[in-house]
Each structure stands twice: as C-alpha cells, then as structure tokens.
Amino acid sequence: MPTLLEALEEKYGLEPDDKEDHADEEVLVSIFVPKLPPRQSTPQLLILNDCNIDRAGEPEDLKKKCRIVKELDLAQNKLNNWNEVFVILSHMPRVEFVNLSLNHLTGPIETPAVTKLDHLRNLVLNNTKLEWCSVETLLRLLPALEELHLSLNEYTHVLIDTAGSADIGVSSTTGGTAANATAPETSQKQEENEEESMGNDDTAEPVPASSSGSDHRSRTSSASSSSSTEVPPYRTNPHAGVRKVHLTGNYIAEWSEICRIGRVFPQLETLVLADCPLRSLKPTDAEGNNENAEESHKYFPNLKLLNLSNAKIDSWEDIDRLSSFPALNNVRLQYWPLWSRTDSMTEHERRQLLIARLPNISILNGGDTIGAVEREDAERSFIRHYLDKPETERPPRYYELVGVHGKLDPLVNIDLRPERKVKVRFTFEDKTVERTVDVNRTVSDLKSRLERLFEVPASRMRLYYVDQDLRDLGVEEMKYPTKVLYSYNIRSGDEIIIERKVKS
C-alpha cells in the first residue's frame, strides 16, 4: 500500500530535478517539445481519499511538499495508527480542516511528545469507530477546534463528561459499548495527576507518550473486562472552542447522554442528532427515572441549531421543551412517530401547530424564515384547534396565546365547491321526467344515458340547456360532446330540452 507521499506524487507529479542524469552526454539534435510541467508544490486543498494510504512517508519530503496545505481529505484510506496521523499533521503547520472518515482509527491515542495543531478547526471522524478516550485526548491536543464530526461510530452512550461520576447519573453500558468506555482510576493520586496533566492552562506540557498510552490501555482493558458493569464516563475539562458537533447515525437513545455533550462543549451552537433513536428530551437518572425537565436545556445556553430528524419522539411535551432552550432558533423535527398520529392533518396544519408551540424558532425544517404574518396565523389557528378540546388536553401554550390574541370564535366552514349532483328536468316532446345528474360527466356521456330513457339514438339527439333564472333569455345548445356539465353552471331546478335531429 502506498504512503501519503507516494499517493501525493502519483496524483500531482514530481518536482523537476535540478540536474539530468545524462547532462554530460553529447547532444546531437535538440528538439523542443512543449508540455505542462508537474506541480511545483501541493495545493492548499489536498484530496487523497480512497488511495489505500496506510503511512505518512519520508518526513523531510512530506514537510517540503505539504507546508502550505490548509485542507486535507484522507477519507476511506487504510490508516489505523494515530502516530502516523500525527506525523502527517506535524508537517502541515497551516492545516485547518482534516477528514479521516472511514479509516479504522479506534485508538487509544499515545500523545505525541511534540505536536502543534493550533490551526486545526474542523475534524471529521465519521465511521472510524473512535473510542471516547481518544476523543478526550484529541480535545486536549486541539485547542482551536471549532467543529467535530463523530457520526456513524456506533455510540450508544457518551462516555466523556466534565462532572465526576458522583455528580451525574451513570447509565449501564453493556455489550459493544463497553469497548468504547474508559473507567476512571480508583487511585486518588492518579486522578489528581490526570487532572493536573490536562489542566485549563493552554501552555501546560503534554502528557508523555508512554504514560498516556499505558493509562489509556489500562482504562480500556479495565472497561472491556467487565461488559456487564456500569461504566462511568471519562472525566475531562470543558472545551470552550467547539461550536458544532455532528453525531448523526449513532445509537444514543437518552437525552441524559446528550447533556454530557453540552457540559463538555459549553459554547455549542450547532448539534446534529439526525437518525439517533432519542425517545425524549427529558433526561433520566441511572435508574431510568425522569429528572427535572429543566435539565433538557440547562447545558445548552448557546445552542442555535438542533437537528432531531428521525428521532423516536412521540410526545408534544417534548416540542414544548424545545421552547425552553434560550438561544435555539433553527430546528429540524422531521419523520417522528408523533407525526403518524396527525395523519388527519395536512402538512400546513402540522407546521402551524409547531410554529405556535415554538415562539423562538425562526427556521423550521429547513424552510424559509418564519415571518410575523405566518406566526400570527399559526397562533390563531392553534387557539381554534384547542377550542373544542377539554381543558385537560389544552397545553400551557394555549393559555399564553389566549392572553395575546384573546379567545377567538371558530371559523365558519364555507364550502364554495359546486354541487356534484343536481336534480334536472328533462323534456322530450310531451314527456317530462326529473333525474339526478352528476355534473362531472360530459355532454356525450349524458346523451348515452338519455338514449335509454327516451329511446332516441345519441347520434340523433340535440340538447338545449335552460337556466331557471334566465328562461326569458332563451336556451343554450349543448353542442360540444366533451364539455363537462358543471361548466354550464347547472343547478337543481334547471331544465334540459331534448330534440331529435331531422334527417336531411
């Protein structure tokens, strides 16, 4: 398998040599053939995905070629050793974006002796099966990190937190999750040393590689040896730089786990939880009992965008909890089981109920910004929706909106559609009968039906429409076979006269 350097040279070409191997040989004939020269340096956006890369390559050449790289895409390669990743990044001092998705980088991470990654702001680790102990290590190594992607990593729990196990509810992690867990040391001295090594001071010395590696291995081994025991989350310090976190497609089902994300990233503004089987936005304790509903938003003071599409939420109360997030103004709430209980509603009616329940939301499900007129219409519709409901079924938001708009009268249901079936008098010579006619039929179809009633062939029949209110103005011949009856504005009480065509 090629190194990164080999893949780079194969894709972008080599720098020309200063001297040719045979420069001293006599040249009899010189022919100039113009061609495009190879790149003199690597582009700032370096894309080498799916190249089977498993190693970095020669350090000096790598440093020479990659010194200006700002964005690096190494998705779907064969990297499985974080030491190689750090070697690559150490020769890219300007790199700001790195995509390592679909590389098997589970960890643990042995902290490199010298690693300066002060410019890295966006790290994508989707489908890498990265362990939470490795996530914690990366957070310490990346002080400038702003966006973190951890989608499709099969997480069932969030095993990092800023609080000790005595301060938070600890969920049981069994089966596959135990492999991702890292239990805290039992020794108080070791815990103090650990906290000291990852203190808040950005200038603190990094943990030595041997110590960090053995510490992570002992923690992972301890967690893996007892898959049926409760494993508390790895204790870390909050990272104030991260603004966006993506956890799409993981198996996290409890909001208590998501609260840990809020504690680790207190400045979080965007949280994507699409395709996660969350059952509620109300946290639960270690025994599965519901905690105070205030905990739902307590750790997300700056959250502006929340994506909960394809969650397993089936309660309007969880919609109301979203209104408690102080900065939240953009949500995606599509494909919930809750919407299957509102099949009788149109999509517009469901949108109105959501807008009325979420006073601070300005963008719903990726649509246009909610304007003042749309919001007022939605709130009035919400009040009328609950007018006929028992008081026990009315949410608190109903009374808030009644205080704003007053108690509204129900809308009058006016059906402006034309009658589908009307009673019409049919007259042929001295015979008159009254029949019910479907106005959606055509003139040709009506003639076919009258053919059996009056024994006149449809091809020999003429029809004349008489409006009961405009009889004095004469009759209108119904001469077009494909014309639909309702286009004549036929009403009950009108008349149609039938005449037999005279043979010429």
Side-chain angles (χ1 to χ4, degrees):
M1 286 183 284
T3 64
L4 183 144
L5 186 60
E6 291 170 345
L8 176 63
E9 291 173 345
E10 180 179 353
K11 182 171 183 178
Y12 295 101
L14 296 173
E15 292 184 355
D17 295 331
D18 293 333
K19 295 181 179 181
E20 298 293 338
D21 294 337
H22 306 288
D24 54 347
E25 296 182 1
E26 185 178 359
V27 179
L28 298 179
V29 179
S30 297
I31 300 176
F32 175 73
V33 179
K35 64 177 182 178
L36 292 175
R39 281 184 177 270
Q40 302 300 310
S41 62
T42 306
Q44 292 186 354
L45 171 57
L46 179 57
I47 301 176
L48 292 172
N49 49 11
D50 198 15
C51 292
N52 292 320
I53 297 169
D54 65 342
R55 302 184 312 282
E58 181 61 36
E60 289 303 319
D61 290 344
L62 196 62
K63 181 178 181 181
K64 180 180 178 182
K65 290 180 178 295
C66 299
R67 60 186 181 273
I68 66 168
V69 172
K70 289 188 176 182
E71 298 184 36
L72 175 64
D73 186 350
L74 290 176
Q76 205 168 347
N77 280 289
K78 304 298 182 182
L79 293 166
N80 57 14
N81 188 324
W82 275 101
N83 288 334
E84 292 295 326
V85 174
F86 289 134
V87 169
I88 292 170
L89 298 183
S90 65
H91 297 307
M92 300 180 182
R94 301 182 184 180
V95 68
E96 299 178 358
F97 170 92
V98 176
N99 183 3
L100 296 171
S101 299
L102 293 164
N103 288 278
H104 193 67
L105 292 167
T106 58
I109 297 176
E110 295 185 357
T111 309
V114 179
T115 302
K116 189 176 182 181
L117 299 172
D118 294 341
H119 292 88
L120 186 57
R121 292 180 171 82
N122 193 320
L123 181 59
V124 184
L125 297 168
N126 298 334
N127 206 354
T128 58
K129 308 303 181 285
L130 188 71
E131 298 175 359
W132 284 108
C133 62
S134 300
V135 175
E136 190 278 334
T137 303
L138 289 172
L139 292 178
R140 288 191 282 112
L141 296 174
L142 304 173
L145 189 65
E146 297 177 359
E147 185 167 346
L148 179 62
H149 294 248
L150 296 171
S151 300
L152 301 170
N153 281 331
E154 299 182 3
Y155 299 138
T156 60
H157 296 75
V158 177
L159 297 179
I160 53 173
D161 205 332
T162 59
S165 59
D167 304 324
I168 59 174
V170 179
S171 302
S172 174
T173 58
T174 60
T177 61
N180 292 335
T182 53
E185 299 291 344
T186 55
S187 168
Q188 180 66 29
K189 182 177 180 180
Q190 288 175 326
E191 183 175 322
E192 291 174 356
N193 291 338
E194 176 185 274
E195 292 177 0
E196 184 178 296
S197 69
M198 52 183 191
N200 291 323
D201 188 359
D202 293 338
T203 61
E205 292 294 327
V207 180
S210 60
S211 171
S212 174
S214 62
D215 179 59
H216 282 309
R217 282 193 293 272
S218 66
R219 289 174 180 271
T220 307
S221 174
S222 171
S224 301
S225 64
S226 176
S227 63
S228 62
T229 58
E230 292 185 350
V231 182
Y234 192 99
R235 186 169 181 179
T236 186
N237 288 320
H239 193 295
V242 173
R243 299 292 195 274
K244 300 179 180 180
V245 171
H246 293 248
L247 286 167
T248 297
N250 286 294
Y251 305 140
I252 304 168
E254 300 297 334
W255 189 254
S256 303
E257 303 295 321
I258 304 303
C259 287
R260 292 172 182 162
I261 294 291
R263 288 192 284 265
V264 173
F265 306 116
Q267 300 301 319
L268 194 64
E269 296 178 359
T270 298
L271 180 57
V272 179
L273 301 171
D275 300 324
C276 292
L278 286 163
R279 295 188 289 262
S280 175
L281 297 182
K282 191 170 185 179
T284 56
D285 58 21
E287 287 74 32
N289 300 317
N290 288 334
E291 296 179 349
N292 193 326
E294 292 181 358
E295 298 293 316
S296 298
H297 61 273
K298 179 179 179 181
Y299 303 106
F300 300 94
N302 301 297
L303 190 65
K304 297 178 181 178
L305 187 154
L306 178 60
N307 188 335
L308 293 171
S309 293
N310 273 319
K312 302 301 181 185
I313 297 174
D314 193 21
S315 168
W316 284 105
E317 286 73 17
D318 286 309
I319 299 293
D320 295 334
R321 291 187 183 101
L322 288 173
S323 64
S324 300
F325 287 70
L328 190 64
N329 58 23
N330 187 344
V331 293
R332 284 183 176 267
L333 313 173
Q334 295 166 303
Y335 314 115
W336 284 12
L338 177 61
W339 311 140
S340 64
R341 294 197 286 110
T342 60
D343 284 343
S344 59
M345 297 183 186
T346 65
E347 188 65 32
H348 176 67
E349 290 170 335
R350 280 196 292 268
R351 177 178 171 84
Q352 284 189 317
L353 288 181
L354 285 170
I355 291 173
R357 283 182 180 264
L358 300 171
N360 300 322
I361 299 302
S362 57
I363 300 177
L364 176 62
N365 293 331
D368 294 333
T369 301
I370 300 169
V373 174
E374 183 182 11
R375 179 166 295 282
E376 182 175 350
D377 289 345
E379 291 175 351
R380 289 177 173 275
S381 177
F382 183 84
I383 293 173
R384 292 189 173 99
H385 177 78
Y386 285 97
L387 276 177
D388 298 330
K389 307 284 185 183
E391 290 191 9
T392 54
E393 296 182 17
R394 292 174 179 171
R397 181 65 176 157
Y398 169 81
Y399 299 100
E400 293 176 10
L401 293 177
V402 167
V404 175
H405 301 289
K407 193 169 183 178
L408 307 177
D409 295 328
L411 293 175
V412 178
N413 186 15
I414 301 175
D415 190 356
L416 298 178
R417 293 174 298 179
E419 294 181 87
R420 180 179 176 183
K421 292 186 177 181
V422 296
K423 284 188 176 182
V424 178
R425 287 184 297 117
F426 294 93
T427 302
F428 175 65
E429 296 179 346
D430 59 350
K431 182 180 179 181
T432 300
V433 296
E434 189 176 79
R435 290 289 186 270
T436 299
V437 176
D438 188 339
V439 296
N440 290 317
R441 299 188 182 279
T442 63
V443 171
S444 177
D445 186 45
L446 177 61
K447 285 183 177 181
S448 298
R449 294 174 180 274
L450 293 175
E451 185 178 35
R452 298 189 296 270
L453 184 61
F454 294 103
E455 298 179 355
V456 177
S459 61
R460 307 294 299 167
M461 188 183 298
R462 290 182 186 275
L463 301 182
Y464 298 92
Y465 167 60
V466 182
D467 188 317
Q468 57 186 312
D469 295 330
L470 303 174
R471 184 177 294 272
D472 295 339
L473 298 179
V475 298
E476 178 182 358
E477 183 176 358
M478 304 168 73
K479 62 172 68 174
Y480 302 107
T482 59
K483 191 170 183 179
V484 184
L485 297 179
Y486 67 71
S487 63
Y488 290 95
N489 296 320
I490 296 177
R491 297 170 296 155
S492 294
D494 288 347
E495 181 182 8
I496 292 178
I497 299 173
I498 304 154
E499 287 186 357
R500 189 192 303 269
K501 288 182 180 179
V502 178
K503 292 183 180 181
S504 56

